[in-house]
Amino acid sequence: MRYLLNPVATDTTPTPSVLRLARRLRRALPAGVSGLALLLAATAHAQAPGKHVHGQAELDIAIEESSIALMLVSPLDNILGFEHTPRTDAERKQADDAQKALAQGDRLFVIDEGAGCTTEKISVPTLYEDTHNHGHSGHAGMHADAELTVQYRCASGHNVKVIDTAALFDAFPRLQTLQVQLAGPGRQAGLTITRTQPRISVPR
């Protein structure tokens, strides 16, 4: 596992990547904890956003005492094995199966018991819209990336030590690496994890 740990930024001017993370989390989080996104924008200094690279995905993690939020953004190729509108029954089944796996997104991550977390909300956009034009070979109806947000309600979110992503890699064999951005009050880190080293050790 390769860690790229950074100290908490002393310059609190939000960077473009921090604002990107804040916007995503603001959309995903319930109203009661929406202030977390603003907190991240003011205190974190996350890595620059990644590129659309097959085999690689981004995972943003926001931690506070009462909640943990995870947002996965991945090229569709990692999730479906293709990036066009499904053309065959087999491809439509692949897309449906992937949609179901993402809809149970809390099964793709394991947060250590010390944080006392339970799933509160799972958000995943539809991967494709079936237009019944099965012969169409373009990208109409498809999203460029798959997105998944899992929101946990936690008794002691700050106590989280490990987030295991092994189930995510098992569910999507084409996924090889995760570029992780993690932020919360008094902590911030960027790291890369792989399917052979799928555990995220949360810095204190």
Side-chain angles (χ1 to χ4, degrees):
M1 186 182 302
R2 178 168 63 91
Y3 290 92
L4 301 173
L5 299 182
N6 303 310
V8 175
T10 56
D11 179 3
T12 59
T13 301
T15 64
S17 57
V18 170
L19 292 174
R20 177 178 65 93
L21 175 55
R23 285 194 296 269
R24 285 177 176 175
L25 292 172
R26 186 181 294 111
R27 292 196 302 268
L29 296 178
V33 292
S34 61
L36 175 58
L38 299 178
L39 176 62
L40 289 173
T43 63
H45 186 273
Q47 291 178 308
K51 297 180 180 179
H52 182 96
V53 178
H54 291 183
Q56 178 177 303
E58 298 177 29
L59 180 64
D60 295 335
I61 304 173
I63 298 172
E64 67 173 0
E65 182 62 28
S66 61
S67 68
I68 295 177
L70 295 87
M71 183 168 187
L72 176 74
V73 180
S74 171
L76 276 172
D77 183 76
N78 297 338
I79 306 300
L80 301 181
F82 54 87
E83 291 188 328
H84 54 258
T85 302
R87 301 166 184 165
T88 67
D89 288 342
E91 288 184 346
R92 283 187 284 277
K93 184 179 185 304
Q94 283 178 259
D96 290 342
D97 289 346
Q99 187 79 50
K100 291 175 183 177
L102 292 175
Q104 299 177 333
D106 56 339
R107 298 185 180 184
L108 304 178
F109 307 99
V110 178
I111 297 176
D112 70 77
E113 294 181 357
C117 297
T118 57
T119 306
E120 184 172 51
K121 179 182 178 182
I122 300 173
S123 300
V124 54
T126 302
L127 294 178
Y128 81 102
E129 300 294 338
D130 190 348
T131 61
H132 303 289
N133 184 10
H134 296 165
H136 184 62
S137 60
H139 288 75
M142 297 296 293
H143 296 272
D145 294 311
E147 294 188 2
L148 165 68
T149 302
V150 185
Q151 170 73 27
Y152 298 89
R153 178 64 59 184
C154 303
S156 303
H158 290 166
N159 289 335
V160 62
K161 296 179 180 178
V162 174
I163 300 175
D164 196 321
T165 66
L168 174 67
F169 284 104
D170 289 343
F172 304 110
R174 297 175 73 88
L175 179 63
Q176 300 299 315
T177 63
L178 279 176
Q179 300 297 325
V180 180
Q181 296 181 41
L182 183 150
R187 70 173 90 183
Q188 179 266 321
L191 55 133
T192 299
I193 62 172
T194 68
R195 64 170 44 251
T196 58
Q197 297 283 342
R199 288 163 61 90
I200 299 170
S201 296
V202 179
R204 305 300 294 172

